[in-house]
Amino acid sequence: MEDNNVTRRELLGLGTVGAMLGLGAYAHAAELTPEQAAYKPAEEVPPTPVTIAIIGLGERGREVLTSLSYLVGVKVSHLCDTYPAAQKRAQELAKTAAFVTDYKAVLADKKVQGVFICTPTHLHKQIVLDALAAGKHVFCEMPLAHIEADAKVIAQAALAQPKLIFQSGLQSRTNPQHSHVKHFIDGRVLGDNVARCVSAWNKKSSWRRAAATPERERDLNWRLSKSTSGGLISEVGIHQVDVASWFLRGYPTSVTGFGSVSQWKDGRDVPDTISAIFEYPGGVRLTYDATLGSSFGGTFEQFQGSGATVLLRGTRAWMFKEADAEALGWEVYASREKVGDETGIMLVADASKLLALGKNPGDNMDKDPKRSLLYFTCLAFLNAIRTGKPNGSGAKEGFAATIVALKANEAITGGTRVAITSEALAL
């Protein structure tokens, strides 16, 4: 190759950064769609002030508050929960916010532009409908609802208000690392054939919460009852299954599931350990496992193809090439890292920024713990309000992901195979 004074940094910029920011592997560049070929990293949105409120101050609501505290240009004007004792812990993160126990008081305040709905899943529907009717932008945690009919009502109400931002909490879709890897996969670096997909979530946790009264304990432990919860696949697995649907550009046509209470034998009627196999068009299958009985293995999404395997863990990702895969041209310059017994090519979403700062992406492996998936999804909601532009995690995506998860929960609790028809996914 002629030198032409090209430096290693420039090569990194052309190869590692160009390919990994979605321009695709050069060997497959001609196969990219015009939209993919024109892909550029999203421009920074000026952090103009946005006034929001949090409805629901349980564990998730406080996590949202924590992420918002790291962002610029956000004012939390109201904190809302029906349980007054939730005020103290929440207001440590939003000291100037008003605390109310009736969410309608939040919706009546014209200064509130958007609301984060972080209540238990079975309480989402009426709050979402009232918030949209009040002209508020809405962020609704996933799943949209614990029954299919409610999910459809929510999605249809959101679609009927096109001037309002409705963001479903599919946090992987607004995570730069996942978006980055998707453009990479769109460039067909997995090869001509996708062999299989594997995802897992492992965390030792009973999910049970103690309370002073039986009534409060019942309210806190809504996830442990099938009357108010879609179980592990709906409350947790929905995000990882949606990543597969997003990357594979389609939704599964059926799911076979199994579930058991293997660890926490405390009267719950929701399995604490589950397995599911999702069948996608073209014969691709996703195997999904989750448990509350062990933390070993953590959380990951893995996509295996004839040319390479891509592994994602939170805000990090790697590619492992097959020995007989064709050369892509840029990988000789890419940074590598040991992952278990394998050595992977690092997929660094913010590589271009690091290079602009004169840093090698491979030397900056440690991630800021504040910049979590939740941080980025909160930022995406604020930016959507600021720009008036949806971000690809709207009502349609949230509805489809919810239906897939609820069908999977039906299969898991019944130990059977359940079809996922196009009619079930239609709005």
Side-chain angles (χ1 to χ4, degrees):
M1 182 175 94
E2 187 177 355
D3 189 344
N4 287 333
N5 296 318
V6 177
T7 66
R8 181 173 182 271
R9 182 179 299 171
E10 289 169 329
L11 285 169
L12 277 166
L14 291 169
T16 307
V17 179
M20 296 186 185
L21 285 178
L23 300 179
Y26 295 135
H28 300 293
E31 300 173 27
L32 296 177
T33 66
E35 179 184 11
Q36 295 158 4
Y39 172 76
K40 295 179 181 178
E43 294 180 358
E44 294 291 336
V45 177
T48 53
V50 178
T51 300
I52 60 93
I54 310 294
I55 300 175
L57 299 173
E59 182 179 356
R60 189 58 169 180
R62 295 194 301 274
E63 289 174 345
V64 167
L65 266 176
T66 299
S67 290
L68 290 172
S69 71
Y70 302 143
L71 294 168
V72 177
V74 55
K75 178 183 179 182
V76 181
S77 65
H78 293 77
L79 300 173
C80 178
D81 199 284
T82 56
Y83 191 56
Q87 177 179 4
K88 182 177 179 181
R89 285 181 291 179
Q91 286 204 300
E92 291 175 356
L93 294 166
K95 292 181 171 57
T96 62
F99 181 82
V100 297
T101 56
D102 185 351
Y103 73 85
K104 292 183 179 178
V106 173
L107 304 182
D109 190 330
K110 294 183 179 179
K111 294 180 182 178
V112 175
Q113 296 168 265
V115 294
F116 282 84
I117 298 176
C118 306
T119 64
T121 299
H122 64 289
L123 301 178
H124 285 174
K125 185 178 78 169
Q126 195 58 51
I127 301 174
V128 170
L129 297 182
D130 289 343
L132 291 170
K136 308 301 183 186
H137 302 292
V138 172
F139 179 101
C140 182
E141 278 293 351
M142 291 296 287
L144 296 186
H146 74 302
I147 57 176
E148 294 179 35
D150 284 0
K152 177 168 281 193
V153 169
I154 289 172
Q156 289 177 336
L159 293 173
Q161 297 272 18
K163 293 184 179 180
L164 295 176
I165 296 298
F166 180 89
Q167 182 172 324
S168 57
L170 294 171
Q171 57 190 24
S172 295
R173 287 188 181 243
T174 50
N175 176 28
Q177 184 66 76
H178 280 80
S179 296
H180 170 76
V181 171
K182 182 183 184 300
H183 286 287
F184 203 25
I185 288 177
D186 285 347
R188 294 186 58 198
V189 295
L190 292 183
D192 294 329
N193 298 297
V194 178
R196 66 170 185 158
C197 310
V198 182
S199 295
W201 185 90
N202 304 285
K203 184 176 181 180
K204 191 169 185 179
S205 169
S206 72
W207 264 8
R208 183 169 291 283
R209 300 291 180 266
T213 67
E215 293 77 17
R216 179 58 181 165
E217 185 168 348
R218 183 185 63 247
D219 290 344
L220 283 176
N221 293 301
W222 59 273
R223 290 186 297 183
L224 304 182
S225 172
K226 62 185 179 183
S227 66
T228 51
S229 167
L232 264 173
I233 192 66
S234 185
E235 295 298 326
V236 174
I238 188 170
H239 298 284
Q240 293 170 284
V241 175
D242 181 65
V243 169
S245 299
W246 184 30
F247 283 10
L248 295 174
R249 300 184 181 185
Y251 292 99
T253 56
S254 70
V255 55
T256 303
F258 312 90
S260 65
V261 179
S262 60
Q263 176 72 23
W264 308 105
K265 302 182 186 299
D266 54 5
R268 69 184 64 197
D269 59 10
V270 171
D272 63 26
T273 299
I274 63 170
S275 294
I277 299 175
F278 296 84
E279 298 176 54
Y280 282 82
V284 180
R285 286 185 172 87
L286 164 68
T287 300
Y288 182 79
D289 295 292
T291 184
L292 294 169
S294 170
S295 298
F296 183 78
T299 302
F300 65 87
E301 292 111 39
Q302 183 173 296
F303 298 84
Q304 294 177 246
S306 57
T309 292
V310 169
L311 171 66
L312 298 99
R313 286 186 178 273
T315 57
R316 304 199 64 199
W318 304 264
M319 182 183 77
F320 306 87
K321 286 191 64 182
E322 291 289 333
D324 60 352
E326 64 179 289
L328 300 175
W330 51 263
E331 69 264 42
V332 66
Y333 305 108
S335 299
R336 287 170 166 76
E337 182 178 20
K338 196 78 172 176
V339 183
D341 294 332
E342 304 290 339
T343 298
I345 295 173
M346 298 168 61
L347 308 186
V348 185
D350 55 359
S352 59
K353 292 182 180 179
L354 293 171
L355 287 166
L357 294 172
K359 299 178 180 180
N360 183 344
D363 296 334
N364 292 270
M365 296 183 291
D366 294 330
K367 296 292 182 180
D368 184 346
K370 296 178 181 179
R371 295 168 71 84
S372 63
L373 272 68
L374 185 56
Y375 167 97
F376 286 113
T377 204
C378 289
L379 176 59
F381 182 53
L382 297 176
N383 283 347
I385 294 174
R386 288 166 177 146
T387 64
K389 297 178 181 179
N391 53 38
S393 181
K396 290 182 180 179
E397 294 81 7
F399 173 73
T402 298
I403 296 302
V404 168
L406 292 178
K407 292 294 187 185
N409 188 54
E410 180 184 341
I412 289 165
T413 55
T416 187
R417 180 179 182 274
V418 173
I420 304 174
T421 65
S422 57
E423 290 77 15
L425 297 173
L427 281 170

